[in-house]
Amino acid sequence: MNSRRDVLKAAALAAFVPLMGGAGQTAPAQRGAAPTPPGALARKRAVKPPRIRTGDTIGLMIPSSANWDPLDLDVLLEALAALGLKGKLGAHVNDRYGYLAGRDADRAADLNAMFRDPEVKAIHCIRGGWGAARLLPLIDFDAVARSPKALIGYSDITALLLALHARTGLVTFHGPNGASEWNRTNVEWLKRITWEGEAALFANPREATRALVPTEHRTRTLHPGKARGRLLGGNLTVLTAIVGSPYLPDFTDSILFLEDVQEAPYRLDRMLVQLKLAGVLDRVRGVAWGTCSKCDPGEGFGSLTIPDVLADHLLPLKVPVYYGAMLGHISTQFTLPVGVEVELDADAGTLRMLESAVV
């Protein structure tokens, strides 16, 4: 993620956008009435994209920050070929406009072209950074609705994942970007969810490696219990940046998942306050926090820790919460389907899909 302070400024401004949508929403049964999140659209029926199959053409585009190393594209195309897939690069993947991968209109044109292209069966975003939210007013949502396809990515891609689901009901996929590491774990999860259509159980590996007991990928229960709901979420910074816009899904009775990177605890605190004040947190049935890489409180005294901040904002919700889910800016991560029904088990530290995400 780049330009964090710019993102937060945008989020603050978004709170003053005239409210749109939100009609017909109801508060969660387990708590009192919560304010409707500003700009949230009424919940749509989930639209599942076709599964990926051997021989498919995958559209590759960059909605956010510029790619500076052409080797990333070489590796991505070779990785797809090794999986029996063909990669089709967007017309503007090598563009640059400052820190962006080209002008907004050109990046949006790549995305729209891939939804309109019958040869392209799924779309994989190559990298994140910042800039995807700038495309939202330029997306052809009618084309998305006419030709639903799997859209895959994470971090800044959160803006697209949530907006496409909010506006069309399309199930999208919070998983590794195209320039992420194509290791065995990432490939396995991507195939299980988007190829095989498995209704999977997302559980961190429990095996000890070099230590006497497991030390990596551990989860911790913050508030016990189980809950079911539609899975929504992504990068916390990017999510808060679209609060107040007409691209935010309805979080009523949802399971919220969150992750971030390189954010001081006070900034995470500020963003969670925003979600609270906007009515998002009071509408969810459960929360899975992933990782926050490089989010340490720093040396000396005077800072809350990430567990402190999570406890302050999530414990009062009295819903099941756990942290440490294998998602975020880490080398191995789940491919989570945004928009399908899941069950969260905070005691076990798991998310279980209740249905397939593809057809």
Side-chain angles (χ1 to χ4, degrees):
M1 297 296 297
N2 298 323
S3 304
R4 290 290 184 174
R5 288 182 173 81
D6 291 341
V7 174
L8 292 173
K9 289 178 182 178
L13 290 173
F16 296 94
V17 173
L19 302 185
M20 301 178 65
Q25 298 178 7
T26 57
Q30 70 270 30
R31 294 186 298 283
T36 300
L41 296 174
R43 175 171 168 166
K44 295 183 179 294
R45 178 183 63 86
V47 176
K48 300 177 181 180
R51 67 187 62 206
I52 297 173
R53 302 179 187 276
T54 301
D56 279 353
T57 295
I58 309 300
L60 305 170
M61 56 87 59
I62 306 179
S64 308
S65 294
N67 185 66
W68 60 271
D69 191 345
L71 287 176
D72 288 344
L73 302 183
D74 295 343
V75 170
L76 172 54
L77 291 171
E78 291 177 18
L80 291 176
L83 292 172
L85 303 172
K86 294 173 286 188
K88 185 172 184 177
L89 295 174
H92 300 281
V93 294
N94 291 310
D95 288 5
R96 188 180 75 82
Y97 172 60
Y99 45 75
L100 299 169
R103 298 280 182 172
D104 294 350
D106 292 333
R107 302 192 325 277
D110 276 1
L111 181 64
N112 291 331
M114 288 176 177
F115 273 105
R116 297 169 185 152
D117 186 346
E119 180 187 13
V120 172
K121 304 304 181 183
I123 303 167
H124 208 142
C125 297
I126 296 173
R127 64 182 310 113
W130 163 245
R134 296 171 58 135
L135 307 187
L136 301 185
L138 305 176
I139 294 175
D140 184 350
F141 290 104
D142 289 337
V144 176
R146 287 193 302 268
S147 183
K149 301 174 183 182
L151 179 78
I152 306 163
Y154 84 111
S155 191
D156 191 58
I157 313 306
T158 293
L160 300 182
L161 303 179
L162 294 178
L164 266 60
H165 180 67
R167 297 295 288 265
T168 70
L170 179 65
V171 172
T172 54
F173 298 91
H174 183 280
N177 291 324
S180 297
E181 185 176 329
W182 287 79
N183 56 56
R184 181 176 300 176
T185 298
N186 290 348
V187 170
E188 177 187 349
W189 281 110
L190 186 65
K191 293 188 72 172
R192 289 172 67 179
I193 306 305
T194 64
W195 292 46
E196 299 164 10
E198 179 182 343
L201 173 70
F202 297 101
N204 290 14
R206 305 293 187 184
E207 300 82 9
T209 53
R210 293 169 295 179
L212 182 63
V213 297
T215 57
E216 297 179 316
H217 304 304
R218 294 188 68 104
T219 62
R220 199 165 198 274
T221 304
L222 194 60
H223 193 280
K226 295 181 180 180
R228 293 186 174 192
R230 183 174 290 198
L231 186 64
L232 296 173
N235 181 268
L236 176 59
T237 298
V238 178
L239 192 162
T240 55
I242 63 172
V243 168
S245 78
Y247 305 102
L248 191 74
D250 180 2
F251 282 83
T252 301
D253 296 341
S254 66
I255 301 298
L256 175 66
F257 71 93
L258 296 169
E259 63 84 25
D260 222 309
V261 61
Q262 290 184 312
E263 293 290 359
Y266 80 89
R267 296 184 192 172
L268 297 172
D269 188 356
R270 182 165 58 197
M271 289 183 274
L272 288 169
V273 166
Q274 183 177 1
L275 293 187
K276 171 71 174 179
L277 298 179
V280 171
L281 293 185
D282 287 332
R283 305 186 80 83
V284 306
R285 287 184 169 179
V287 182
W289 178 270
T291 61
C292 195
S293 306
K294 302 179 182 178
C295 296
D296 297 333
E299 298 180 0
F301 297 95
S303 174
L304 296 173
T305 66
I306 302 301
D308 291 336
V309 172
L310 295 180
D312 282 349
H313 295 291
L314 302 182
L315 276 180
L317 303 179
K318 300 187 185 305
V319 299
V321 180
Y322 77 96
Y323 64 87
M326 203 167 69
L327 59 104
H329 289 69
I330 52 179
S331 61
T332 55
Q333 58 176 289
F334 300 135
T335 295
L336 296 181
V338 174
V340 304
E341 295 294 315
V342 301
E343 181 180 76
L344 178 149
D345 185 336
D347 300 278
T350 61
L351 289 166
R352 179 169 64 90
M353 294 171 60
L354 302 177
E355 57 182 324
S356 172
V358 293
V359 294

